[in-house]
Amino acid sequence: MTKHLRGVFIEMANKIRFENGDWVQGRSREGELIHGFVEIVNSNREIVKVNVVESDNEKAVGKSIWIPSKWTEKLPDLSISNEAHLLTLIDLALLSKDEAWFMELSEKLASIKKHPKMITRKSEVLIPGNRIGNLDVNR
């Protein structure tokens, strides 16, 4: 392989970087559609352990599965616009037993309650860490 092709290959591999907590969608080894968050990324970054939140196979929901990272796609960040959205995400953080995310969302909720007039447009509050994807729930 030429030096140039190796560089392109490395560049492509670097684009598929997953971290714990990233929200992804893709297919399982059995071909099921899945949507969930990354729990573990193996050391060579070729496979990820995903906690399945939604799937076309109901038996997969709530389970953690290992899938090749090339079969998954990282979802963009989620914008939060109001208290109701934050409460829904707090419920999800509790269900997934993600204490750090729960604390982060709780702080944002407290801030909204303290300064309710400050949040007037959707997409003003951005949750970092790519937890669910850029879903505009007001559409």
Side-chain angles (χ1 to χ4, degrees):
M1 186 182 324
T2 67
K3 196 175 202 177
H4 173 70
L5 287 177
R6 235 178 285 151
V8 170
F9 202 50
I10 290 170
E11 183 179 324
M12 285 175 41
N14 287 339
K15 287 182 182 178
I16 307 174
R17 291 217 172 166
F18 295 102
E19 296 179 18
N20 293 354
D22 284 345
W23 283 85
V24 295
Q25 64 184 14
R27 291 198 177 268
S28 70
R29 291 183 187 274
E30 290 76 30
E32 304 158 335
L33 295 172
I34 60 136
H35 177 215
F37 58 91
V38 175
E39 290 184 332
I40 300 172
V41 180
N42 78 331
S43 59
N44 64 6
R45 299 196 173 275
E46 289 182 10
I47 60 172
V48 291
K49 186 176 186 181
V50 176
N51 183 303
V52 179
V53 175
E54 290 183 282
S55 175
D56 55 357
N57 176 4
E58 291 181 23
K59 293 179 182 179
V61 175
K63 296 183 179 176
S64 296
I65 59 171
W66 287 96
I67 57 175
S69 57
K70 64 184 176 185
W71 293 356
T72 61
E73 175 185 352
K74 191 187 297 190
L75 297 172
D77 289 337
L78 172 66
S79 297
I80 299 300
S81 59
N82 65 36
E83 185 177 329
H85 298 155
L86 279 171
L87 289 171
T88 300
L89 292 176
I90 287 171
D91 288 343
L92 185 56
L94 289 169
L95 287 171
S96 63
K97 298 178 180 151
D98 188 334
E99 183 178 354
W101 189 30
F102 170 80
M103 296 305 292
E104 178 185 328
L105 294 169
S106 296
E107 289 173 16
K108 289 186 187 312
L109 180 61
S111 176
I112 287 175
K113 286 184 174 187
K114 189 174 183 180
H115 306 288
K117 300 280 184 201
M118 291 181 68
I119 300 194
T120 57
R121 295 183 336 217
K122 62 183 176 181
S123 304
E124 281 193 20
V125 177
L126 180 66
I127 294 179
N130 195 15
R131 288 305 215 167
I132 286 188
N134 194 9
L135 303 174
D136 185 357
V137 292
N138 287 330
R139 286 187 201 176

